[in-house]
mmCIF file of all heavy atoms in Angstrom:
data_model
loop_
_atom_site.group_PDB
_atom_site.id
_atom_site.type_symbol
_atom_site.label_atom_id
_atom_site.label_comp_id
_atom_site.label_asym_id
_atom_site.label_seq_id
_atom_site.Cartn_x
_atom_site.Cartn_y
_atom_site.Cartn_z
ATOM 1 N N ALA B 212 94.927 129.033 82.488
ATOM 2 C CA ALA B 212 95.780 127.997 81.950
ATOM 3 C C ALA B 212 95.298 127.573 80.584
ATOM 4 O O ALA B 212 96.060 127.343 79.648
ATOM 5 C CB ALA B 212 95.815 126.785 82.876
ATOM 6 N N LYS B 213 93.962 127.516 80.422
ATOM 7 C CA LYS B 213 93.408 127.159 79.113
ATOM 8 C C LYS B 213 93.633 128.252 78.073
ATOM 9 O O LYS B 213 93.867 127.992 76.897
ATOM 10 C CB LYS B 213 91.905 126.893 79.259
ATOM 11 C CG LYS B 213 91.237 126.378 77.985
ATOM 12 C CD LYS B 213 89.777 126.036 78.194
ATOM 13 C CE LYS B 213 89.162 125.501 76.931
ATOM 14 N NZ LYS B 213 87.708 125.166 77.144
ATOM 15 N N GLN B 214 93.611 129.529 78.566
ATOM 16 C CA GLN B 214 93.844 130.635 77.642
ATOM 17 C C GLN B 214 95.295 130.758 77.206
ATOM 18 O O GLN B 214 95.583 131.089 76.056
ATOM 19 C CB GLN B 214 93.434 131.958 78.361
ATOM 20 C CG GLN B 214 92.020 132.027 78.882
ATOM 21 C CD GLN B 214 90.979 132.012 77.788
ATOM 22 O OE1 GLN B 214 91.111 132.724 76.776
ATOM 23 N NE2 GLN B 214 89.948 131.214 77.952
ATOM 24 N N VAL B 215 96.200 130.430 78.129
ATOM 25 C CA VAL B 215 97.606 130.696 77.884
ATOM 26 C C VAL B 215 98.317 129.605 77.109
ATOM 27 O O VAL B 215 99.096 129.872 76.176
ATOM 28 C CB VAL B 215 98.334 130.952 79.221
ATOM 29 C CG1 VAL B 215 99.845 130.989 79.041
ATOM 30 C CG2 VAL B 215 97.852 132.267 79.834
ATOM 31 N N GLY B 216 98.075 128.340 77.463
ATOM 32 C CA GLY B 216 98.791 127.278 76.777
ATOM 33 C C GLY B 216 98.260 125.886 77.088
ATOM 34 O O GLY B 216 97.888 125.612 78.227
ATOM 35 N N SER B 217 98.273 125.027 76.094
ATOM 36 C CA SER B 217 97.719 123.689 76.261
ATOM 37 C C SER B 217 98.678 122.732 76.999
ATOM 38 O O SER B 217 98.295 121.623 77.373
ATOM 39 C CB SER B 217 97.399 123.065 74.903
ATOM 40 O OG SER B 217 98.547 123.007 74.083
ATOM 41 N N ASP B 218 99.912 123.186 77.238
ATOM 42 C CA ASP B 218 100.882 122.281 77.878
ATOM 43 C C ASP B 218 100.955 122.506 79.399
ATOM 44 O O ASP B 218 101.825 121.979 80.073
ATOM 45 C CB ASP B 218 102.264 122.482 77.273
ATOM 46 C CG ASP B 218 102.835 123.890 77.546
ATOM 47 O OD1 ASP B 218 102.007 124.797 77.735
ATOM 48 O OD2 ASP B 218 104.045 124.050 77.515
ATOM 49 N N LEU B 219 100.013 123.278 79.940
ATOM 50 C CA LEU B 219 100.029 123.541 81.383
ATOM 51 C C LEU B 219 99.151 122.529 82.122
ATOM 52 O O LEU B 219 98.036 122.249 81.684
ATOM 53 C CB LEU B 219 99.526 124.962 81.654
ATOM 54 C CG LEU B 219 100.375 126.106 81.059
ATOM 55 C CD1 LEU B 219 99.810 127.469 81.484
ATOM 56 C CD2 LEU B 219 101.820 125.991 81.477
ATOM 57 N N VAL B 220 99.655 122.008 83.222
ATOM 58 C CA VAL B 220 98.954 121.044 84.032
ATOM 59 C C VAL B 220 98.493 121.716 85.307
ATOM 60 O O VAL B 220 99.272 122.390 86.009
ATOM 61 C CB VAL B 220 99.867 119.861 84.421
ATOM 62 C CG1 VAL B 220 99.088 118.837 85.218
ATOM 63 C CG2 VAL B 220 100.437 119.216 83.138
ATOM 64 N N VAL B 221 97.204 121.603 85.639
ATOM 65 C CA VAL B 221 96.618 122.226 86.822
ATOM 66 C C VAL B 221 96.245 121.126 87.812
ATOM 67 O O VAL B 221 95.415 120.284 87.515
ATOM 68 C CB VAL B 221 95.387 123.056 86.451
ATOM 69 C CG1 VAL B 221 94.743 123.683 87.697
ATOM 70 C CG2 VAL B 221 95.727 124.148 85.434
ATOM 71 N N VAL B 222 96.873 121.133 88.991
ATOM 72 C CA VAL B 222 96.679 120.073 89.971
ATOM 73 C C VAL B 222 96.136 120.657 91.271
ATOM 74 O O VAL B 222 96.802 121.468 91.917
ATOM 75 C CB VAL B 222 97.992 119.321 90.252
ATOM 76 C CG1 VAL B 222 97.724 118.187 91.220
ATOM 77 C CG2 VAL B 222 98.615 118.834 88.957
ATOM 78 N N PRO B 223 94.902 120.271 91.692
ATOM 79 C CA PRO B 223 94.367 120.750 92.981
ATOM 80 C C PRO B 223 95.225 120.335 94.155
ATOM 81 O O PRO B 223 95.692 119.209 94.223
ATOM 82 C CB PRO B 223 92.984 120.118 93.021
ATOM 83 C CG PRO B 223 92.634 119.802 91.599
ATOM 84 C CD PRO B 223 93.934 119.452 90.956
#
Side-chain angles (χ1 to χ4, degrees):
K213 186 176 181 180
Q214 304 294 315
V215 170
S217 59
D218 65 336
L219 298 183
V220 181
V221 179
V222 183

